[in-house]
């Protein structure tokens, strides 16, 4: 571009010329990604960031219908490509040495892939421990991981620094799981949450509560799961399928004539089979958006803040730090009490909305239900209380001495 040369031969490039859009030939896939150098970490250096993303692979061995990963990464018969685990840990060690970062997020579609066994997961954990890296890290997993995870592996993961997992649950009813082409079943979804909580590892979930083919029975089963495991504190009960062109579910929606003609970037440009469910989904989206600032704050406390408390508990478990441990445990109890109340309220309001929508949708009744059970003033108050608990924690821990401040991410 700088030399005014043609871009017609640049592989993998899509561009506009006049009113036309052109897509050049795709780049050839890099089969051995171990050939690639460590990625640039300018962002860490320039912004003094406290955590780093890292990848052990590209692609995914599954084929969920809502996901565009297969069309993005898969080419020339290759669905998944992995890195040598020693090079992965070399990169972690390099980042620690150069930037002082000890918080890592593994960005793999699913950390357990290639999925044949848990050898890769085990080897990475063992190598982190062998090098005594003392890190905190987060991973993405599929629910069927629970079938292969032994108690020994779970202890190993915890010891190596695993603090949080993101599980692609997506649904808690068989109807939707089939639509999403999920390999995991209902039992997997239940057991994976219980498994990681048993080892005091935080669990966050991917969840698609609404899709064009949703049923009232499916929504009730979804809500029961979310409430039972405490996931109804914020967004999941209102989450909707987002269109990714090239995914299997997009093609099905298109084939069934459910696509709407809207903006090209409208992620929800589809109709529902059941129009009353469509009204319910739209209502929840708009209602929650109306107090989005507080909603995101609630999400922060149910996710990031709880992870911080789990991290602090592990750091303060030793005898000389018992007072600090007691402070963190009490703070966690207070925070979870607020979140538990929100979980109950959201579940109750959603259940009533489902009952009403199944008979006949009424916008006024819907607003009345929300304002009676989970009014915006209550959400604002809950967010303010959680803020006060966070300030209280920082204040109480800092009183114990300046050496404790190093445990907090600034």
């Amino acid at each position: 571009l700088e030399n005014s040369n043609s871009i017609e031969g640049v592989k993998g490039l899509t561009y506009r010329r006049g009113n036309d859009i052109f897509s050049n030939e795709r780049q050839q896939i890099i089969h051995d990604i171990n050939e690639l150098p460590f990625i640039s970490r300018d962002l860490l250096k320039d912004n003094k960031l406290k955590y780093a993303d890292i990848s052990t692979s590209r692609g995914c061995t599954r084929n969920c219908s809502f996901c565009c990963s297969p069309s993005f990464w898969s080419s020339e018969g290759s669905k998944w490509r992995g890195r040598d685990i020693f090079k992965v840990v070399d990169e972690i060690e390099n980042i620690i040495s150069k930037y002082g970062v000890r918080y890592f997020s593994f960005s793999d579609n699913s950390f357990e892939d290639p999925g044949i066994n848990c050898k890769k997961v085990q080897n990475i954990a063992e190598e982190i421990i062998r090098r005594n890296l003392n890190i905190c890290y987060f991973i993405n997993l599929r629910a069927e991981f629970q079938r292969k995870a032994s108690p020994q592996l779970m202890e190993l993961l915890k010891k190596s620094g695993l603090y949080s997992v993101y599980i692609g649950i997506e649904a808690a009813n068989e109807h939707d799981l089939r639509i999403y082409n999920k390999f995991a079943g209902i039992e997997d979804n239940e057991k994976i949450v219980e498994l990681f909580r048993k080892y005091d590892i935080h669990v966050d979930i991917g969840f698609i509560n609404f899709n064009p083919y949703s049923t009232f029975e499916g929504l009730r089963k979804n809500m029961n799961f979310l409430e039972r495991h405490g996931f109804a504190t914020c967004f999941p009960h209102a989450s909707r399928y987002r269109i990714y062109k090239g995914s299997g579910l997009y093609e099905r929606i298109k084939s069934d004539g459910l696509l709407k003609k809207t903006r090209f970037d409208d992620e929800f440009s589809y109709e529902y089979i059941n129009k009353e469910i469509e009204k319910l989904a739209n209502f929840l989206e708009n209602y929650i958006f109306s107090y989005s600032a507080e909603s995101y704050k609630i999400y922060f406390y149910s996710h990031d803040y709880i992870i911080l408390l789990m991290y602090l508990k592990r750091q303060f478990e030793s005898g000389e730090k018992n007072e600090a441990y007691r402070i963190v445990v009490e703070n966690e109890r207070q925070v979870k009490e607020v979140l538990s109340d929100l979980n109950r309220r959201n579940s109750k309001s959603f259940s009533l909305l489902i009952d009403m929508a199944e008979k006949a949708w009424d916008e006024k009744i819907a607003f009345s239900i929300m304002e009676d059970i989970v009014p915006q003033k209550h959400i604002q108050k809950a967010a303010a209380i959680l803020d006060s608990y966070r300030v209280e924690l920082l204040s109480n821990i800092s009183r114990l001495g300046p050496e404790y401040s190093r445990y907090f991410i600034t």
Side-chain angles (χ1 to χ4, degrees):
L1 291 174
E2 287 179 350
N3 296 318
S4 300
N5 292 331
S6 172
I7 55 177
E8 292 180 5
V10 181
K11 291 183 179 180
L13 190 67
T14 296
Y15 58 96
R16 185 189 299 276
R17 180 184 294 159
N19 293 324
D20 297 320
I21 295 176
F22 297 87
S23 291
N24 292 346
E25 179 184 346
R26 291 186 67 167
Q27 284 280 8
Q28 287 187 326
I29 201 168
I30 300 172
H31 289 282
D32 185 4
I33 58 176
N34 289 301
E35 297 175 355
L36 297 170
F38 293 164
I39 67 171
S40 171
R41 297 289 176 177
D42 295 347
L43 286 174
L44 291 183
K45 179 181 177 181
D46 296 344
N47 298 283
K48 298 180 181 179
L49 299 181
K50 298 296 183 179
Y51 82 97
D53 285 315
I54 193 165
S55 172
T56 73
S57 65
R58 291 182 179 179
C60 181
T61 60
R62 297 298 183 205
N63 191 30
C64 298
S65 68
F66 56 83
C67 183
C68 63
S69 177
S71 63
F72 186 80
W73 289 116
S74 300
S75 172
E76 302 172 27
S78 177
K79 291 187 68 176
W80 181 89
R81 291 156 288 155
R83 294 175 64 192
D84 180 274
I85 67 104
F86 295 103
K87 289 191 175 183
V88 171
V89 184
D90 283 346
E91 186 175 10
I92 293 173
E93 198 165 24
N94 179 267
I95 293 170
I96 294 172
S97 175
K98 283 188 174 181
Y99 309 105
V101 169
R102 291 190 178 272
Y103 302 87
F104 293 86
S105 176
F106 284 93
S107 58
D108 305 70
N109 281 9
S110 202
F111 191 70
E112 78 268 34
D113 277 339
I116 302 168
N117 51 46
C118 294
K119 203 65 180 174
K120 169 204 164 187
V121 177
Q122 178 182 330
N123 289 343
I124 290 178
E126 287 176 341
E127 189 62 15
I128 289 171
I129 295 169
R130 189 188 70 79
R131 300 193 196 187
N132 195 29
L133 296 184
N134 187 25
I135 64 171
C136 164
Y137 67 94
F138 318 100
I139 60 176
N140 302 311
L141 288 172
R142 291 188 295 267
E144 63 264 28
F145 176 78
Q146 65 87 20
R147 304 178 191 177
K148 298 169 283 187
S150 65
Q152 293 77 18
L153 178 62
M154 294 302 297
E155 292 288 358
L156 189 68
L157 287 170
K158 183 173 181 178
K159 184 178 179 181
S160 67
L162 178 63
Y163 285 80
S164 179
V165 293
Y166 184 88
I167 310 293
I169 298 291
E170 315 311 347
N173 67 88
E174 293 291 354
H175 174 267
D176 286 352
L177 290 177
R178 287 195 298 270
I179 288 173
Y180 302 146
N181 197 33
K182 294 293 293 184
F183 184 79
I186 300 296
E187 185 179 9
D188 293 309
N189 292 342
E190 295 284 349
K191 287 186 175 181
I192 192 73
V193 175
E194 295 166 359
L195 174 66
F196 279 98
R197 286 182 173 169
K198 176 182 177 181
Y199 290 90
D200 205 23
I201 294 170
H202 181 266
V203 179
D204 195 10
I205 61 170
F207 207 82
I208 309 172
N209 198 19
F210 291 96
N211 66 70
Y213 308 95
S214 289
T215 66
F216 287 112
E217 180 185 4
L219 290 173
R220 287 192 177 93
K221 289 181 178 180
N222 285 350
M223 194 68 247
N224 288 338
F225 173 88
L226 293 171
E227 182 188 19
R228 189 166 59 256
H229 293 291
F231 291 124
T233 55
C234 45
F235 300 136
H237 69 290
S239 60
R240 298 187 287 167
Y241 165 65
R242 297 173 182 269
I243 280 183
Y244 291 109
K245 291 184 178 180
S247 67
L249 187 49
Y250 169 82
E251 295 300 331
R252 175 177 174 178
I253 293 170
K254 184 179 178 181
S255 175
D256 289 343
L258 296 175
L259 276 183
K260 292 181 180 178
K261 292 184 178 179
T262 59
R263 301 190 327 267
F264 75 94
D265 60 343
D266 185 353
E267 298 173 305
F268 308 112
S269 58
Y270 53 81
E271 298 177 357
Y272 288 68
I273 296 293
N274 189 309
K275 298 304 178 183
E276 304 305 297
I277 289 178
E278 183 170 3
K279 293 172 186 175
L280 169 59
N282 291 334
F283 170 80
L284 278 174
E285 181 80 14
N286 294 330
Y287 190 88
I288 290 176
F289 182 77
S290 67
Y291 58 91
S292 57
E294 288 79 13
S295 293
Y296 279 103
K297 188 171 285 188
I298 298 299
Y299 178 78
F300 163 77
Y301 283 107
S302 65
H303 181 261
D304 301 89
Y305 189 74
I306 290 294
I307 293 174
L308 171 64
L309 295 180
M310 288 181 168
Y311 169 75
L312 292 175
K313 282 197 301 183
R314 291 196 202 177
Q315 300 304 313
F316 299 153
E317 280 176 335
S318 59
E320 68 272 14
K321 298 188 180 107
N322 271 348
E323 177 61 17
Y325 183 81
R326 184 195 66 76
I327 290 171
V328 174
V329 169
E330 174 60 17
N331 192 269
E332 181 184 45
R333 184 195 65 77
Q334 292 174 317
V335 170
K336 285 187 175 181
E337 191 174 85
V338 176
L339 296 176
S340 178
D341 173 68
L342 291 172
N343 181 68
R344 179 185 60 79
R345 287 172 178 269
N346 283 334
S347 175
K348 183 178 180 181
S349 63
F350 185 62
S351 296
L352 290 174
L353 288 172
I354 291 175
D355 292 342
M356 184 266 288
E358 192 167 20
K359 296 173 183 176
W361 179 258
D362 188 307
E363 193 90 354
K364 290 183 179 180
I365 295 177
F367 272 108
S368 177
I369 289 171
M370 296 301 287
E371 286 302 305
D372 181 51
I373 300 172
V374 57
Q376 294 186 19
K377 286 184 178 179
H378 185 83
I379 299 295
Q380 293 166 353
K381 182 180 178 181
I385 292 172
L386 291 170
D387 281 342
S388 70
Y389 288 156
R390 178 169 57 88
V391 172
E392 184 180 355
L393 174 72
L394 294 170
S395 176
N396 289 339
I397 292 292
S398 64
R399 288 197 192 103
L400 300 178
E403 68 273 17
Y404 287 86
S405 62
R406 68 188 179 90
Y407 292 107
F408 292 92
I409 304 174
T410 57

